Amino acid sequence: MKGSSHTMIGVTVGAMAGFQVQPDLLNIAVGSFVGGVSALVPDLDTNGLATNRITLSKKITQWLMQLVGAGILVAIVYQFFNAGFSPAILLYGGIGLLFFIVSRFITQRRMLTLTGVMVMWLGIVMQQSIGILLMGSYIVIASFLPHRSYTHSLPGLAFYAFILNQLQQDWQVDGLLLAGIAGYASHLIADMKLLPMNRRGVKWFAPIWNKEW
Ligand SMILES: [Zn+2]
């Protein structure tokens, strides 16, 4: 299934989850955003070059890269206004720049690995979020997994839910957990073999039982 279809389903179930948490516009908006993004997360295990079935993965990677780049920039500006100029600012600026240059040469999967490492690093630098640190580790792990393995399973969903729960506590955003689980689960259900367009199914119970559903 294409990334755009996953997003559409994720936005829908996310909005429903947001409404469930609290029936107002803000919660529905947050829910649909979180649901839409979460519905793309399982396909972080996709090599954009090897598959033609998922078209969005390259865009996701680029989007993540820009997000990390922006994060570095914010961290540098924050550092500058708090502590003034220091050699560390040049160093981090250089790392950020190197990140963009290197991304033009390496494979998409290693680019994703690097992105995950940078997200983890941001989690440490910003000193505020175990959730961001865990999210980075998810990206690193996903970048080494074969397509439709652990990210497309109940253990993958459980790990993602654990991250969401942490982020919900870090950021105090109600509905993050429920909308995220709904979006992620909707992706796995939409990838199942019971839908005629899916040649491969989902190994819900990997690694214990590798049957594709
Ligand atoms: Zn998938």
Side-chain angles (χ1 to χ4, degrees):
M1 183 168 281
K2 277 197 206 163
S4 51
S5 318
H6 279 306
T7 312
M8 265 166 49
I9 300 168
V11 165
T12 310
V13 296
M16 282 156 62
F19 184 83
Q20 204 65 35
V21 171
Q22 185 137 18
D24 60 32
L25 258 180
L26 179 69
N27 274 281
I28 293 169
V30 169
S32 35
F33 177 76
V34 173
V37 172
S38 299
L40 291 173
V41 168
D43 278 345
L44 283 174
D45 66 0
T46 309
N47 189 341
L49 302 171
T51 167
N52 49 17
R53 287 178 74 81
I54 293 123
T55 51
L56 252 180
S57 82
K58 194 170 182 182
K59 279 184 196 157
I60 301 165
T61 316
Q62 282 167 343
W63 181 78
L64 267 175
M65 259 179 52
Q66 285 159 10
L67 197 72
V68 171
I72 292 171
L73 201 69
V74 168
I76 288 173
V77 171
Y78 177 82
Q79 179 73 14
F80 181 76
F81 281 108
N82 269 277
F85 179 80
S86 70
I89 289 178
L90 282 182
L91 178 70
Y92 291 146
I95 291 172
L97 198 64
L98 198 68
F99 183 61
F100 283 103
I101 295 169
V102 168
S103 70
R104 297 186 67 96
F105 298 105
I106 58 174
T107 63
Q108 188 162 350
R109 292 218 116 191
R110 291 298 74 80
M111 201 158 95
L112 195 61
T113 310
L114 199 62
T115 306
V117 171
M118 296 304 273
V119 171
M120 289 177 76
W121 175 74
L122 273 181
I124 296 166
V125 168
M126 294 175 110
Q127 285 182 351
Q128 52 112 2
S129 187
I130 302 269
I132 292 180
L133 190 69
L134 287 171
M135 188 58 94
S137 74
Y138 180 102
I139 297 169
V140 172
I141 294 167
S143 75
F144 287 103
L145 291 176
H147 184 41
R148 288 192 183 218
S149 59
Y150 293 111
T151 62
H152 290 62
S153 74
L154 283 176
L157 177 61
F159 183 43
Y160 188 67
F162 182 71
I163 297 169
L164 288 170
N165 187 43
Q166 193 62 48
L167 285 175
Q168 181 163 296
Q169 284 173 27
D170 290 345
W171 296 341
Q172 305 282 319
V173 178
D174 288 340
L176 201 73
L177 178 64
L178 194 63
I181 289 176
Y184 197 104
S186 78
H187 180 119
L188 303 192
I189 292 163
D191 269 358
M192 283 176 76
K193 253 202 298 207
L194 81 206
L195 299 177
M197 64 275 204
N198 292 325
R199 271 176 299 142
R200 296 177 60 194
V202 171
K203 293 174 185 163
W204 282 97
F205 304 102
I208 296 157
W209 188 18
N210 285 321
K211 181 177 163 47
E212 283 191 5
W213 298 79

